[in-house]
Structure formats: structure tokens, C-alpha cells
Amino acid sequence: QIDYTGTEPSSPCNKCLNVSWDSTPPCTCTINFTLEHSFESNVFMYYGLSNFYQNHRRYVKSRDDSQLNGDNSSLLNPSKECEPYRTNEDKPIAPCGAIANSMFNDTLELYRIDNDTRTPITLIKKGIAWWTDKNVKFRNPTGDGNNLTSLFQGTTKPVNWPKPVYMLDSEPDNNGFINEDFIVWMRTAALPTFRKLYRLIERKNNLQPTLQAGRYSLDIAYNYPVHSFDGRKRMILSTISWMGGKNPFLGIAYITVGSICFFLGVVLLIIHHKYGNRNTSADIPN
């Protein structure tokens, strides 16, 4: 895990700490780090946020699923649940709501350093969203032609976005409402400290590890402000084994529930031994 919030004065990202949503050009910083061990299989690159309550009731409801599913009428007349991010300058916002408006928009690039030469690591941006989200829940509007600019005509971008939804990517199958970075963000987290999948690093061959042990650098286009609510940002590299990925939540949950069950079992055993031998053979009238 690499924390790049920049709250420490010695951090390379400290200069970007008070960045705003519309900073032009974006603030950039570079953090160097060392991998002590090689990553043998496919690597998953996440971004993590702390003290960000995506589970707030009004925040979770602030979206229009019909609009995100490509319904043309909802595109121009979003749900009132999106207020106050329903319209802007008398135009409907697409996508509307607080979730979309607060979409994570830092750009992360990874490089390997060999003899002071930086080699870029290929980061795959497709395949990071759930299949059902990509192919069922999120669809672009339909109409004459496939030009997203014309399909989204009459709408405006979310307030905090630097560009409209039809310019999220240059590839048609990853643009608009079906952009996978956007889809991943729209699946809200249950806890205030969470991580979301950002990119994939695929293993090229069986002879070399995906990421060799050694020196690396992380280039960051710092666009996402978190200092105002005491939040923190981090980049996480993770891999999987035959047992799956590392997930401490399940272990903590099993231990907690098991401890509660054991405690209740002891309490009920004491109650049974203390009160279970009472004489209950009183005469019962026929």
C-alpha cells in the first residue's frame, strides 16, 4: 500500500494537498517505492479511500437507475432523488446524483526503474467491473447513430466533473455510462474505509513474474480532494493465490461471530445448570 494523501510535509504530494476539483493543469507528483518480493500471478491495482461514507442513506439514494440503464426519458428528466445534482443551468445532469458527482478521478501510472531508466507497466482498464453491471445495469442512451455526443445532447456534465460523460474514454465500448471506472465507482461501499479496483496487470509469460522485486515509481495526477474531510488516499497492489485474494474482513467477521456464539453458549449453559433442575412436576388439573 502506498499512501499518497500528502498530509506529511515531506511527502512529494504535499504540494497537491489543497487541490480543487477544477484545477488546471492538474497537480502531479511521483512517489518511489520498492517491492521486496515479486508478484508471480496477475496483479490487481486498487485505489483506496478512508473516512469517505459512501454508505450514507441520502448519498446511496442519490442516483437514477433508469437513466443509467439508458432510458431516454429519464436522461432528460432525471429522478428527484438526484437533488441537488439533478439539473445545472436549467439542463439535466447526466449522470445525475451525488454518487456520480463525487466520482474518483485521480490518474495513476506505474513504472519500473532499472538503472535509472523508467519502463512503463501496462495497466489494463477493461474487465474491472462486474459483468452484470457492464452488460445489464448500465447502458448508453439509444437513438439514431452511435455518436454519444448527439445522444447526450441537451444534458450537462456533473458539477465536479472536468468533462462530460461521453468523453470519459476514446474507445466506444468503454465510454459514456458503460465506462468501467464509472461503473466501479457507482457500486457504493459498505464501510467508510474501502478500496475499488482501478487497473489489472496481466502476467505475460510463465518464465517471468508479473512484477519483479525492485524499484518502482507511481506517477499521480492529483485531482481528487480529500483533505477537507480528513480523508486519505492510497494505491494498493494485490495478487491472488489458489485460495483467492487477501480479504481480512471475512476472517474478522468469522472470529467475531464465532466469539459471540461461544459467549452466548456459555451463558445459556450456566442458565441451564442453574435453573434447569427445578421441580416442574406440579399437579396439572385434568
Side-chain angles (χ1 to χ4, degrees), residues 84-282:
Y85 301 106
R86 181 173 178 265
T87 60
N88 185 31
E89 297 179 351
D90 296 328
K91 287 186 177 182
I93 294 176
C96 71
I99 308 177
N101 187 64
S102 59
M103 178 182 168
F104 181 84
N105 65 340
D106 282 357
T107 301
L108 308 176
E109 296 178 348
L110 191 63
Y111 295 85
R112 174 170 171 79
I113 303 176
D114 281 318
N115 299 323
D116 296 328
T117 301
R118 301 204 321 161
T119 305
I121 303 297
T122 302
L123 304 178
I124 300 173
K125 60 186 175 182
K126 295 182 181 179
I128 61 175
W130 289 21
W131 186 92
T132 50
D133 288 349
K134 175 77 174 180
N135 296 278
V136 179
K137 293 184 178 180
F138 290 79
R139 313 297 296 170
N140 281 323
T142 56
D144 295 334
N146 295 320
N147 189 341
L148 287 183
T149 303
S150 61
L151 293 176
F152 282 97
Q153 187 175 7
T155 67
T156 187
K157 66 179 182 63
V159 177
N160 288 338
W161 285 26
K163 53 189 176 183
V165 68
Y166 51 81
M167 295 179 62
L168 289 179
D169 199 284
S170 58
E171 300 182 27
D173 62 343
N174 193 43
N175 200 11
F177 289 157
I178 59 173
N179 176 264
E180 297 203 27
D181 286 326
F182 171 67
I183 294 173
V184 169
W185 177 256
M186 292 300 292
R187 180 169 284 277
T188 53
L191 301 173
T193 298
F194 59 87
R195 65 182 183 180
K196 291 178 182 285
L197 187 58
Y198 180 69
R199 292 293 183 265
L200 302 173
I201 306 174
E202 290 186 345
R203 187 172 187 177
K204 296 181 180 179
N205 58 66
N206 295 326
L207 301 178
Q208 295 290 337
T210 308
L211 292 179
Q212 298 179 8
R215 297 167 56 209
Y216 290 83
S217 66
L218 177 67
D219 283 9
I220 303 151
Y222 199 113
N223 301 308
Y224 201 72
V226 296
H227 184 56
S228 59
F229 57 88
D230 296 326
R232 300 197 70 86
K233 301 190 290 186
R234 63 194 188 279
M235 183 278 297
I236 303 141
L237 294 176
S238 179
T239 187
I240 58 174
S241 66
W242 64 273
M243 294 183 65
K246 181 181 179 181
N247 189 350
F249 174 78
L250 289 177
I252 295 172
Y254 290 155
I255 292 174
T256 302
V257 173
S259 299
I260 293 174
C261 292
F262 177 78
F263 173 76
L264 292 178
V266 172
V267 171
L268 293 175
L269 182 63
I270 294 173
I271 293 174
H272 173 73
H273 278 282
K274 188 173 182 180
Y275 301 103
N277 294 326
R278 286 185 175 181
N279 187 7
T280 59
S281 60

Side-chain angles (χ1 to χ4, degrees), residues 52-70:
F52 192 109
Y53 288 81
Q54 273 200 317
N55 56 2
H56 191 283
R57 182 181 63 85
R58 290 188 62 187
Y59 182 89
V60 172
K61 293 176 61 179
S62 186
R63 60 189 292 166
D64 187 342
D65 288 320
S66 295
Q67 184 192 60
L68 297 174
N69 195 240

